[in-house]
Amino acid sequence: MIARVALDIAVRKEFDYRVPPELEGQIEVGSRVKVPFATRQVLGSVTALVSKSPHTNLRCLLKVIGHHSLVTPKVLHLARWIAEYYCCPLEIALRSVLPDTVRKEQKGWRERLVVRILPQPDSIPRLTKRQQEIWRIVEEWKTMPLQRLLELAETTASTLRRLEDLGLIAIEAEISERDPYANEVILPTQPLPLNAEQASALAQITQAMDNLAANPDPAKRPPLSTDSGLPITNYESRITDHASRSTLHAPRSTFLLHGVTGSGKTEVYLQAIAHALRQGKGAIVLVPEISLTPQTVERFKARFSSGPLKTLVAVLHSHLSAGERHDEWHKIRQGRARIVIGARSAIFAPVEPLGLIVVDEEHEHSYKQEEAPRYQARDVAVKRGLDEGAVVVLGSATPSLESFYNAQKGKYALLELRSRVDDQKLPRVRVVDMRHEVRDGKGVPIFARALQEAITRRLERKEQVMLFLNRRGYASSMLCPKCGYVAECPNCSIALTYHRHLEKICCHICGHSAAAPTVCPERRCQSPAIRYLGLGTEKVEETLGKLFPKANIARMDSDAMKRKDDFRRILGNFRTGKIDILVGTQMIAKGLHFPNVTLVGIIYADLSLHMPDFRAGERTFQLLTQVSGRAGRGDVEGEVFVQSFTPFHPAIQYARRHDFNGFYEQEIEFRAQLKYPPVTRAAMLTLKGRNEEKVKFLAEHLAREIEKNLREMKDLVLAGPAPAPLLRAETFYRYQIMLRTPRMSQLSQKLPVVLQKLPLPEDIRLTVDVDPVSLA
């Protein structure tokens, strides 16, 4: 037997090893193994078992780690597709599939000592009075942690050992699982009645689940068709092409659930998950990391904590400790947890069999991985659903243009929830033109008069307010009005942000920080008039404290959320009414349901609007709509104030009217004219180095080579090279080349071949980002 192994080190190939006879019964595809490589020993994953190898003198495997394979064949197949489509080595893709804490050679379980009572004959040995007291406690508990018994009995381990010697008890090591929600009191909930739109959406989803359950064999499923209407018989090829969204239509097992904020999408998810459980299958729910609040997790745990569909709900996200992530992952692999809720990487959870994948807030850019493999979790979800015969539901109040375009083209089935549950009204949105708010000699205020008056009214009525500004810190820059000096990052081409509570100026790109100067640092100037410009959440919080001294104010941003339980604590206080005004960045923009919030203020709506990115308008529309959706979720109608210096921009006006379709129509026309996604697909090549001239020269050479070698791709549009919008980041100068084509699968196959022929100097790095979500 020969094992083909992808090593954990990046060598861009797989290696064959002979399996010793004593390990043959332990190894399978997906097993973790230790192998010799050159002069050292490394870990890897078995990707195939074969009987022959083109190589001779194979070395033997050294060890099989664990009793079961960690990478299931289906997830391995998915990892191969990711490596091919996103142009990265297989071992890098496998690194995303398996969490670091699971890939280690050492066992990651936490053990503790427990005391267990042993079966006794009719009579027990004679005990001292102290031993009798301990024995009564053990008789009552039967099994208990050793530490707990020592505390209750106020005794020592040596006393317990004497009872063990008498054959009365056993002291053993036992696995103690780490549960991040062990101390939470979660009350069970029952399914809620659905309105007509919700019931219709659920019926279509469950019908698709039943159809797939009746036709588990991919070969027997109804064939897909190309845009020309010709049937396709090769299932593997149509999966690859579909997942790249090039020319093929998905079967009606991928749904786009477009529902306004507060329309009850989560209840549809919960009842669809219940249907998957009744089918004997599991479910994966992807939620943006920023929306993975305790409130969100509790809704899912509460629904499936009791009753005939009771099951463990595993949670996977970056805020878990390594030990908690290890234990949660193994609950899934062992089949004990049949529902997984998590951020981007949860799409690789080893749920078998898989019946449903939900991608909530599918438009969120955090579903895109920023390091290799630069996969888009939403697209990987569609691919995995096709592979494993699972229904995929993409949900959003503001769908990405890519997903809505696919729905318009018939690739996804469109489900719409046009009204809020219980006939609640969408909030009234007022756009404030900040150009008219300039006060004599004082510049532009943080709060428009109308917003300030609205906050006062809400506080008088004991209602709650949320204020949104997607910029942390106190001021966005420091400027000397005398000489024009601006405090800039020495590593990045960006101004440093002033943080008042730290008395530091910080870079939000590379993390550089320095003490805030009290005088101008320019040697020839030294003016004490250096001042702060712009604003951040810290300054908004301080100003609110002066305007509303009796209000309880809290701030939620990554500066304020330092400890593990800060998020839970502040949201808990806000829910119970202990906080009157909550100020925050995008942390508060989505996934939160607080019925007493009747006013939302967006301090600076233009912040994302003027970024050098063709998606700037789309992002602004999505953010404004999502933040606005936090208001009016109770009995009182909500109100939203949007402060803007460009109030008539289409993104702001369509968001004011809650008109997604109108925004989509005008935006897709612009994209089509310029051949931008979703009408075509894009790949971004970025070269980085510390010598700008060298980076620029190599970028120009790379562009010429791509044009020469990919000449047969007539529909390929090459733009650049050009400096990145942020030219210098973390000491590296960056130049970009953008490739656009409607046939991304073909480009993904050809591009690595071209790049392999162009060896780069050691001090220059090249990254390939297929389907980028940001041009920065």
Side-chain angles (χ1 to χ4, degrees), residues 80-155:
R80 283 196 182 279
W81 176 80
I82 288 172
E84 292 169 7
Y85 182 69
Y86 291 101
C87 303
C88 72
L90 176 61
E91 59 266 22
I92 299 295
L94 285 171
R95 197 174 295 168
S96 284
V97 165
L98 280 181
D100 287 344
T101 184
V102 174
R103 284 190 284 117
K104 293 178 180 177
E105 181 179 2
Q106 299 80 14
K107 292 181 179 178
W109 297 105
R110 181 180 67 180
E111 292 186 341
R112 66 176 178 180
L113 292 175
V114 297
V115 178
R116 197 183 317 280
I117 193 169
L118 295 176
Q120 297 300 316
D122 295 337
S123 61
I124 62 172
R126 190 169 180 177
L127 303 175
T128 66
K129 184 178 179 182
R130 188 79 187 98
Q131 289 171 338
Q132 287 176 5
E133 292 173 357
I134 298 168
W135 173 246
R136 281 194 288 271
I137 296 173
V138 175
E139 267 194 315
E140 181 183 349
W141 283 71
K142 308 299 181 189
T143 301
M144 64 187 303
L146 172 66
Q147 195 59 40
R148 178 68 174 148
L149 179 56
L150 293 176
E151 292 169 1
L152 281 176
E154 297 179 345
T155 186

Coordinates of all heavy atoms in Angstrom, one line a residue, residues 80-155:
R80 N -9.3 20.3 -2.7 CA -8.7 20.2 -4.0 C -9.3 21.3 -5.0 O -8.5 21.9 -5.7 CB -8.8 18.8 -4.6 CG -7.9 17.8 -4.0 CD -7.9 16.6 -5.0 NE -7.0 15.5 -4.4 CZ -5.7 15.5 -4.5 NH1 -5.1 16.5 -5.1 NH2 -5.0 14.5 -3.9
W81 N -10.6 21.4 -4.9 CA -11.2 22.4 -5.8 C -10.8 23.8 -5.4 O -10.5 24.7 -6.3 CB -12.7 22.3 -5.7 CG -13.4 23.4 -6.5 CD1 -13.7 23.4 -7.8 CD2 -13.9 24.7 -6.0 NE1 -14.3 24.6 -8.2 CE2 -14.4 25.4 -7.1 CE3 -14.0 25.2 -4.7 CZ2 -15.0 26.6 -6.9 CZ3 -14.5 26.5 -4.5 CH2 -15.0 27.2 -5.6
I82 N -10.7 24.1 -4.1 CA -10.2 25.4 -3.6 C -8.8 25.7 -4.1 O -8.5 26.8 -4.6 CB -10.3 25.5 -2.1 CG1 -11.7 25.6 -1.6 CG2 -9.5 26.7 -1.5 CD1 -11.9 25.5 -0.1
A83 N -7.9 24.7 -4.0 CA -6.5 24.8 -4.5 C -6.5 25.2 -5.9 O -5.7 26.1 -6.4 CB -5.7 23.6 -4.2
E84 N -7.3 24.5 -6.7 CA -7.3 24.8 -8.2 C -7.9 26.1 -8.6 O -7.3 26.9 -9.3 CB -8.0 23.6 -8.9 CG -7.3 22.3 -8.8 CD -8.2 21.1 -9.3 OE1 -9.3 21.4 -9.8 OE2 -7.8 20.0 -9.1
Y85 N -9.1 26.4 -8.0 CA -9.8 27.6 -8.4 C -9.1 28.9 -7.9 O -9.0 29.9 -8.6 CB -11.2 27.5 -7.9 CG -12.1 28.7 -8.4 CD1 -12.4 28.9 -9.7 CD2 -12.5 29.7 -7.4 CE1 -13.1 30.0 -10.1 CE2 -13.2 30.8 -7.8 CZ -13.5 30.9 -9.2 OH -14.2 32.1 -9.6
Y86 N -8.6 28.8 -6.6 CA -8.1 30.0 -6.0 C -6.5 30.1 -6.2 O -5.9 30.9 -5.5 CB -8.5 30.1 -4.6 CG -9.9 30.4 -4.4 CD1 -10.8 29.4 -4.1 CD2 -10.5 31.7 -4.6 CE1 -12.2 29.7 -3.9 CE2 -11.8 32.0 -4.5 CZ -12.7 30.9 -4.1 OH -14.0 31.2 -4.0
C87 N -6.0 29.2 -7.0 CA -4.6 29.2 -7.4 C -3.6 29.2 -6.2 O -2.8 30.1 -6.0 CB -4.3 30.5 -8.2 SG -5.3 30.7 -9.7
C88 N -3.8 28.2 -5.4 CA -2.9 28.0 -4.2 C -2.5 26.5 -4.1 O -3.2 25.7 -4.6 CB -3.5 28.5 -3.0 SG -4.9 27.5 -2.3
P89 N -1.4 26.2 -3.4 CA -1.0 24.8 -3.2 C -2.1 24.1 -2.3 O -2.8 24.7 -1.5 CB 0.3 24.9 -2.4 CG 0.8 26.3 -2.6 CD -0.4 27.2 -2.8
L90 N -2.2 22.8 -2.6 CA -3.2 21.9 -1.8 C -2.9 22.0 -0.3 O -3.9 22.0 0.5 CB -3.1 20.5 -2.3 CG -4.0 19.5 -1.6 CD1 -5.5 19.9 -1.7 CD2 -3.8 18.1 -2.1
E91 N -1.6 22.0 0.1 CA -1.4 22.0 1.5 C -1.8 23.3 2.2 O -2.2 23.3 3.4 CB 0.1 21.8 1.8 CG 1.1 22.8 1.2 CD 1.6 22.5 -0.2 OE1 1.0 21.6 -0.8 OE2 2.6 23.0 -0.5
I92 N -1.9 24.4 1.5 CA -2.4 25.6 2.0 C -3.9 25.5 2.2 O -4.5 26.0 3.2 CB -2.0 26.8 1.1 CG1 -0.5 27.0 1.0 CG2 -2.7 28.1 1.6 CD1 0.2 27.3 2.3
A93 N -4.6 24.9 1.2 CA -6.0 24.7 1.3 C -6.4 23.8 2.5 O -7.3 24.0 3.2 CB -6.6 24.1 0.0
L94 N -5.6 22.7 2.6 CA -5.8 21.8 3.8 C -5.6 22.5 5.1 O -6.2 22.1 6.1 CB -4.9 20.6 3.6 CG -5.3 19.6 2.5 CD1 -4.2 18.5 2.4 CD2 -6.6 18.9 2.9
R95 N -4.7 23.5 5.1 CA -4.5 24.2 6.4 C -5.7 24.9 6.8 O -6.0 25.1 8.0 CB -3.3 25.1 6.2 CG -2.7 25.6 7.5 CD -1.5 26.5 7.2 NE -0.4 25.7 6.6 CZ 0.7 26.2 6.0 NH1 0.8 27.5 6.0 NH2 1.6 25.4 5.5
S96 N -6.5 25.4 5.9 CA -7.8 26.1 6.2 C -8.9 25.1 6.6 O -9.7 25.4 7.5 CB -8.3 26.9 5.0 OG -7.6 28.1 4.9
V97 N -8.8 23.9 6.0 CA -9.8 22.9 6.3 C -9.7 22.4 7.7 O -10.7 22.1 8.4 CB -9.7 21.7 5.3 CG1 -10.4 20.5 5.7 CG2 -10.2 22.2 3.9
L98 N -8.5 22.2 8.2 CA -8.3 21.7 9.6 C -7.8 22.8 10.5 O -6.7 23.4 10.2 CB -7.2 20.5 9.6 CG -7.7 19.1 9.2 CD1 -6.5 18.2 9.2 CD2 -8.8 18.7 10.0
P99 N -8.4 23.1 11.6 CA -7.9 24.1 12.6 C -6.5 23.7 13.1 O -6.2 22.5 13.2 CB -9.0 24.1 13.7 CG -10.2 23.4 13.1 CD -9.7 22.5 12.0
D100 N -5.7 24.7 13.4 CA -4.4 24.5 13.9 C -4.4 23.5 15.1 O -3.6 22.6 15.2 CB -3.7 25.8 14.3 CG -3.3 26.6 13.2 OD1 -3.3 26.1 12.0 OD2 -3.1 27.8 13.3
T101 N -5.3 23.7 16.0 CA -5.3 22.9 17.2 C -5.7 21.4 17.0 O -5.3 20.6 17.8 CB -6.3 23.5 18.2 OG1 -6.3 22.8 19.5 CG2 -7.8 23.5 17.7
V102 N -6.3 21.2 15.8 CA -6.7 19.8 15.5 C -5.5 19.1 14.7 O -5.3 17.9 14.8 CB -8.0 19.8 14.6 CG1 -8.3 18.4 14.1 CG2 -9.1 20.3 15.4
R103 N -4.7 19.9 14.0 CA -3.6 19.3 13.2 C -2.4 18.9 14.0 O -1.6 18.2 13.5 CB -3.2 20.3 12.1 CG -4.2 20.5 11.0 CD -3.6 21.3 9.8 NE -3.6 22.7 10.1 CZ -2.5 23.4 10.2 NH1 -1.3 22.9 10.0 NH2 -2.6 24.7 10.5
K104 N -2.3 19.2 15.2 CA -1.1 18.9 16.0 C -1.0 17.4 16.3 O -2.0 16.7 16.4 CB -1.2 19.7 17.3 CG -1.0 21.2 17.1 CD -1.1 21.9 18.5 CE -1.0 23.4 18.3 NZ -1.1 24.2 19.6
E105 N 0.2 17.0 16.5 CA 0.5 15.6 16.8 C 0.0 15.2 18.2 O -0.5 14.1 18.4 CB 2.0 15.3 16.7 CG 2.4 13.9 16.9 CD 3.9 13.6 16.8 OE1 4.6 14.6 16.5 OE2 4.3 12.5 16.9
Q106 N 0.2 16.1 19.2 CA -0.2 15.8 20.5 C -1.7 15.9 20.7 O -2.3 16.7 20.0 CB 0.5 16.9 21.5 CG 2.0 16.9 21.5 CD 2.6 17.7 20.4 OE1 1.8 18.4 19.7 NE2 3.8 17.5 20.1
K107 N -2.2 15.0 21.5 CA -3.6 15.1 21.8 C -4.0 16.4 22.5 O -3.3 16.9 23.4 CB -4.0 13.9 22.7 CG -3.9 12.5 22.0 CD -4.3 11.4 23.0 CE -4.2 10.1 22.3 NZ -4.6 9.0 23.2
G108 N -5.1 17.0 22.0 CA -5.5 18.3 22.5 C -6.6 18.2 23.6 O -7.1 19.2 24.1
W109 N -6.9 17.0 24.1 CA -8.0 16.9 25.1 C -7.5 17.3 26.5 O -6.3 17.1 26.8 CB -8.5 15.4 25.2 CG -9.1 14.9 23.9 CD1 -8.5 14.1 23.1 CD2 -10.4 15.3 23.4 NE1 -9.4 13.8 22.0 CE2 -10.5 14.6 22.2 CE3 -11.4 16.1 23.8 CZ2 -11.7 14.7 21.4 CZ3 -12.5 16.2 23.1 CH2 -12.7 15.5 21.9
R110 N -8.3 17.9 27.2 CA -8.0 18.3 28.6 C -8.5 17.2 29.5 O -9.7 16.7 29.4 CB -8.7 19.6 29.0 CG -8.3 20.0 30.5 CD -9.0 21.3 30.8 NE -10.5 21.2 30.9 CZ -11.3 22.2 31.2 NH1 -10.8 23.4 31.4 NH2 -12.6 22.0 31.2
E111 N -7.7 16.7 30.4 CA -8.1 15.6 31.3 C -8.1 16.1 32.7 O -7.4 17.0 33.1 CB -7.1 14.4 31.2 CG -7.1 13.7 29.9 CD -6.2 12.5 29.9 OE1 -5.3 12.4 30.7 OE2 -6.4 11.6 29.0
R112 N -9.0 15.5 33.5 CA -9.1 15.8 34.9 C -9.3 14.5 35.7 O -9.8 13.5 35.1 CB -10.2 16.8 35.2 CG -11.6 16.2 34.9 CD -12.7 17.2 35.3 NE -14.0 16.7 35.0 CZ -15.2 17.3 35.2 NH1 -15.2 18.5 35.7 NH2 -16.3 16.7 34.9
L113 N -9.0 14.5 37.0 CA -9.2 13.3 37.8 C -10.6 13.3 38.4 O -11.1 14.3 38.8 CB -8.1 13.3 38.9 CG -6.7 13.1 38.5 CD1 -5.7 13.2 39.7 CD2 -6.5 11.7 37.8
V114 N -11.2 12.1 38.3 CA -12.5 12.0 38.9 C -12.5 10.8 39.8 O -11.7 9.9 39.7 CB -13.6 11.7 37.8 CG1 -13.7 12.9 36.9 CG2 -13.3 10.5 37.0
V115 N -13.4 10.9 40.8 CA -13.6 9.8 41.8 C -14.8 9.1 41.4 O -15.9 9.7 41.3 CB -13.6 10.4 43.2 CG1 -13.9 9.3 44.2 CG2 -12.4 11.1 43.5
R116 N -14.7 7.7 41.3 CA -15.9 6.9 40.9 C -16.1 5.8 41.9 O -15.1 5.2 42.3 CB -15.6 6.3 39.5 CG -16.9 5.8 38.8 CD -16.5 5.1 37.5 NE -15.5 5.8 36.7 CZ -15.8 6.9 35.9 NH1 -17.0 7.4 35.9 NH2 -14.9 7.5 35.3
I117 N -17.3 5.6 42.4 CA -17.6 4.6 43.4 C -17.5 3.2 42.7 O -18.0 3.1 41.5 CB -19.0 4.8 44.0 CG1 -19.2 3.9 45.3 CG2 -20.1 4.6 43.0 CD1 -20.4 4.3 46.1
L118 N -17.0 2.2 43.4 CA -16.9 0.9 42.8 C -18.0 0.0 43.4 O -18.5 0.2 44.5 CB -15.5 0.3 43.1 CG -14.3 1.0 42.5 CD1 -13.0 0.4 43.0 CD2 -14.4 0.9 41.0
P119 N -18.4 -1.0 42.6 CA -19.4 -2.0 43.1 C -18.9 -2.6 44.4 O -17.7 -3.0 44.5 CB -19.6 -3.0 42.0 CG -19.1 -2.3 40.8 CD -18.0 -1.4 41.2
Q120 N -19.8 -2.7 45.4 CA -19.4 -3.2 46.7 C -20.1 -4.5 47.1 O -21.2 -4.7 46.7 CB -19.7 -2.2 47.8 CG -18.9 -0.9 47.6 CD -17.4 -1.0 47.7 OE1 -16.9 -1.8 48.5 NE2 -16.7 -0.4 46.8
P121 N -19.4 -5.4 47.8 CA -20.1 -6.6 48.4 C -21.0 -6.1 49.5 O -21.2 -4.9 49.8 CB -18.9 -7.4 49.0 CG -17.8 -6.4 49.2 CD -18.0 -5.3 48.2
D122 N -21.7 -7.1 50.2 CA -22.7 -6.8 51.2 C -22.1 -5.9 52.3 O -22.8 -5.1 52.9 CB -23.3 -8.0 51.8 CG -24.0 -8.8 50.7 OD1 -24.5 -8.1 49.7 OD2 -24.2 -10.0 50.8
S123 N -20.8 -6.1 52.7 CA -20.3 -5.4 53.8 C -19.0 -4.6 53.3 O -18.3 -5.1 52.4 CB -19.9 -6.3 54.9 OG -18.9 -7.2 54.5
I124 N -18.8 -3.5 53.9 CA -17.6 -2.7 53.5 C -16.6 -2.7 54.6 O -17.0 -3.0 55.8 CB -18.0 -1.2 53.1 CG1 -18.6 -0.5 54.4 CG2 -18.9 -1.2 52.0 CD1 -18.8 0.9 54.2
P125 N -15.3 -2.5 54.3 CA -14.3 -2.5 55.4 C -14.6 -1.5 56.5 O -15.4 -0.5 56.3 CB -13.0 -2.2 54.6 CG -13.3 -2.4 53.2 CD -14.8 -2.2 53.0
R126 N -14.1 -1.7 57.6 CA -14.2 -0.8 58.7 C -13.5 0.5 58.4 O -12.4 0.5 58.0 CB -13.7 -1.4 60.0 CG -14.0 -0.6 61.2 CD -13.7 -1.4 62.5 NE -14.0 -0.7 63.7 CZ -13.9 -1.2 64.9 NH1 -13.4 -2.4 65.1 NH2 -14.2 -0.5 66.0
L127 N -14.2 1.6 58.6 CA -13.7 2.9 58.2 C -13.6 3.8 59.5 O -14.4 3.7 60.4 CB -14.5 3.6 57.2 CG -14.8 2.9 55.9 CD1 -15.8 3.7 55.0 CD2 -13.5 2.6 55.1
T128 N -12.6 4.7 59.4 CA -12.5 5.7 60.5 C -13.7 6.7 60.3 O -14.3 6.8 59.3 CB -11.2 6.5 60.4 OG1 -11.2 7.3 59.2 CG2 -10.0 5.5 60.4
K129 N -13.9 7.5 61.3 CA -15.0 8.5 61.3 C -14.8 9.4 60.1 O -15.7 9.8 59.4 CB -15.0 9.3 62.6 CG -16.2 10.3 62.7 CD -16.2 11.0 64.0 CE -17.4 12.0 64.1 NZ -17.4 12.7 65.4
R130 N -13.5 9.9 59.9 CA -13.3 10.8 58.8 C -13.5 10.1 57.4 O -14.1 10.7 56.5 CB -11.8 11.2 58.8 CG -11.5 12.4 57.8 CD -12.0 13.7 58.4 NE -11.8 14.8 57.4 CZ -12.8 15.2 56.6 NH1 -14.0 14.7 56.7 NH2 -12.6 16.2 55.8
Q131 N -13.1 8.9 57.3 CA -13.3 8.1 56.1 C -14.8 7.9 55.8 O -15.3 7.9 54.7 CB -12.6 6.8 56.1 CG -11.1 6.9 56.0 CD -10.4 5.6 56.3 OE1 -10.9 4.7 56.9 NE2 -9.1 5.5 55.8
Q132 N -15.6 7.7 56.9 CA -17.0 7.5 56.7 C -17.7 8.8 56.2 O -18.6 8.7 55.3 CB -17.7 7.1 58.1 CG -17.3 5.7 58.5 CD -17.9 5.4 59.9 OE1 -18.6 6.2 60.5 NE2 -17.6 4.2 60.5
E133 N -17.3 9.9 56.6 CA -17.8 11.2 56.1 C -17.6 11.3 54.6 O -18.5 11.7 53.9 CB -17.2 12.4 56.9 CG -17.6 12.4 58.4 CD -16.8 13.5 59.1 OE1 -15.9 14.1 58.5 OE2 -17.0 13.7 60.3
I134 N -16.4 11.0 54.2 CA -16.0 11.1 52.8 C -16.8 10.1 52.0 O -17.3 10.3 50.9 CB -14.5 10.9 52.6 CG1 -13.7 12.0 53.3 CG2 -14.1 10.9 51.1 CD1 -12.2 11.7 53.4
W135 N -16.9 8.9 52.6 CA -17.6 7.8 51.9 C -19.1 8.2 51.6 O -19.7 7.9 50.6 CB -17.5 6.5 52.7 CG -18.3 5.4 52.1 CD1 -19.4 4.8 52.7 CD2 -18.2 4.7 50.9 NE1 -19.9 3.8 52.0 CE2 -19.2 3.7 50.8 CE3 -17.3 4.8 49.9 CZ2 -19.3 2.9 49.7 CZ3 -17.4 4.0 48.8 CH2 -18.4 3.0 48.7
R136 N -19.7 8.8 52.6 CA -21.1 9.2 52.4 C -21.3 10.2 51.2 O -22.3 10.2 50.5 CB -21.7 9.8 53.7 CG -22.0 8.8 54.8 CD -22.9 9.4 55.9 NE -22.1 10.3 56.8 CZ -21.4 9.8 57.8 NH1 -21.5 8.5 58.2 NH2 -20.7 10.7 58.6
I137 N -20.3 11.1 51.1 CA -20.4 12.1 50.0 C -20.3 11.3 48.7 O -21.0 11.6 47.7 CB -19.3 13.1 50.1 CG1 -19.5 14.0 51.4 CG2 -19.2 14.0 48.9 CD1 -18.4 14.9 51.7
V138 N -19.3 10.4 48.6 CA -19.1 9.6 47.4 C -20.3 8.8 47.0 O -20.7 8.7 45.9 CB -17.8 8.8 47.5 CG1 -17.6 7.9 46.2 CG2 -16.6 9.6 47.7
E139 N -20.9 8.2 48.1 CA -22.1 7.4 47.8 C -23.2 8.2 47.2 O -24.0 7.7 46.4 CB -22.6 6.8 49.2 CG -22.0 5.4 49.4 CD -22.8 4.7 50.6 OE1 -23.0 5.4 51.6 OE2 -23.1 3.5 50.4
E140 N -23.4 9.4 47.7 CA -24.4 10.3 47.2 C -24.1 10.7 45.7 O -25.0 10.7 44.9 CB -24.5 11.5 48.1 CG -25.6 12.5 47.6 CD -25.7 13.7 48.5 OE1 -25.0 13.8 49.6 OE2 -26.4 14.7 48.1
W141 N -22.9 11.1 45.4 CA -22.6 11.6 44.0 C -22.3 10.5 43.0 O -22.4 10.7 41.8 CB -21.3 12.5 44.2 CG -21.6 13.8 44.7 CD1 -21.9 14.1 46.0 CD2 -21.6 15.1 44.0 NE1 -22.1 15.5 46.2 CE2 -21.9 16.1 45.0 CE3 -21.3 15.5 42.7 CZ2 -22.0 17.4 44.6 CZ3 -21.4 16.8 42.4 CH2 -21.7 17.8 43.3
K142 N -21.8 9.3 43.5 CA -21.5 8.2 42.6 C -20.2 8.5 41.8 O -19.2 7.8 41.9 CB -22.6 7.8 41.6 CG -23.9 7.6 42.2 CD -23.9 6.4 43.2 CE -25.2 6.1 43.8 NZ -25.2 5.2 44.9
T143 N -20.2 9.6 41.0 CA -19.0 10.1 40.3 C -18.9 11.6 40.4 O -19.9 12.3 40.2 CB -19.1 9.7 38.8 OG1 -19.2 8.3 38.7 CG2 -17.8 10.1 38.0
M144 N -17.7 12.0 40.7 CA -17.5 13.5 40.9 C -16.0 13.8 40.6 O -15.1 13.0 40.8 CB -18.0 13.9 42.2 CG -17.1 13.4 43.4 SD -17.8 13.8 45.0 CE -17.9 15.5 45.0
P145 N -15.8 15.1 40.2 CA -14.4 15.5 40.1 C -13.6 15.5 41.4 O -14.2 15.8 42.5 CB -14.5 17.0 39.6 CG -15.9 17.1 39.0 CD -16.7 16.2 39.8
L146 N -12.4 15.0 41.3 CA -11.6 14.9 42.5 C -11.5 16.2 43.2 O -11.6 16.3 44.5 CB -10.2 14.4 42.1 CG -9.1 14.4 43.2 CD1 -9.4 13.4 44.3 CD2 -7.7 14.1 42.6
Q147 N -11.2 17.3 42.5 CA -11.1 18.6 43.1 C -12.3 19.0 43.9 O -12.3 19.6 45.0 CB -10.7 19.7 42.1 CG -10.2 21.0 42.6 CD -8.9 20.8 43.4 OE1 -8.0 20.0 43.1 NE2 -8.8 21.5 44.6
R148 N -13.5 18.7 43.3 CA -14.8 19.0 44.0 C -14.9 18.3 45.3 O -15.4 18.8 46.3 CB -15.9 18.7 43.0 CG -17.3 19.0 43.6 CD -17.6 20.4 43.8 NE -18.9 20.7 44.2 CZ -19.3 21.6 45.0 NH1 -18.4 22.5 45.5 NH2 -20.6 21.8 45.3
L149 N -14.5 17.0 45.3 CA -14.6 16.2 46.5 C -13.7 16.7 47.6 O -14.0 16.7 48.7 CB -14.3 14.7 46.1 CG -14.3 13.7 47.3 CD1 -15.7 13.8 48.0 CD2 -14.0 12.3 46.9
L150 N -12.5 17.1 47.2 CA -11.5 17.6 48.1 C -12.1 18.9 48.8 O -11.9 19.1 50.0 CB -10.2 17.9 47.5 CG -9.4 16.7 46.9 CD1 -8.2 17.2 46.2 CD2 -9.0 15.8 48.0
E151 N -12.8 19.7 48.0 CA -13.3 20.9 48.6 C -14.5 20.6 49.5 O -14.6 21.2 50.6 CB -13.8 21.9 47.5 CG -12.6 22.4 46.6 CD -13.1 23.1 45.4 OE1 -14.4 23.2 45.1 OE2 -12.3 23.6 44.6
L152 N -15.4 19.7 49.1 CA -16.6 19.4 49.9 C -16.2 18.7 51.2 O -16.8 19.0 52.2 CB -17.6 18.5 49.1 CG -18.5 19.2 48.0 CD1 -19.3 18.1 47.3 CD2 -19.4 20.2 48.7
A153 N -15.3 17.8 51.1 CA -15.0 17.0 52.3 C -13.9 17.6 53.1 O -13.6 17.1 54.2 CB -14.5 15.6 51.8
E154 N -13.3 18.7 52.6 CA -12.2 19.4 53.3 C -11.1 18.4 53.7 O -10.7 18.3 54.8 CB -12.7 20.1 54.5 CG -13.7 21.3 54.1 CD -14.2 22.0 55.3 OE1 -14.0 21.5 56.5 OE2 -14.7 23.1 55.2
T155 N -10.7 17.6 52.7 CA -9.7 16.5 53.0 C -8.6 16.6 52.0 O -8.4 17.6 51.3 CB -10.4 15.1 52.8 OG1 -9.5 14.1 53.2 CG2 -10.9 14.9 51.4

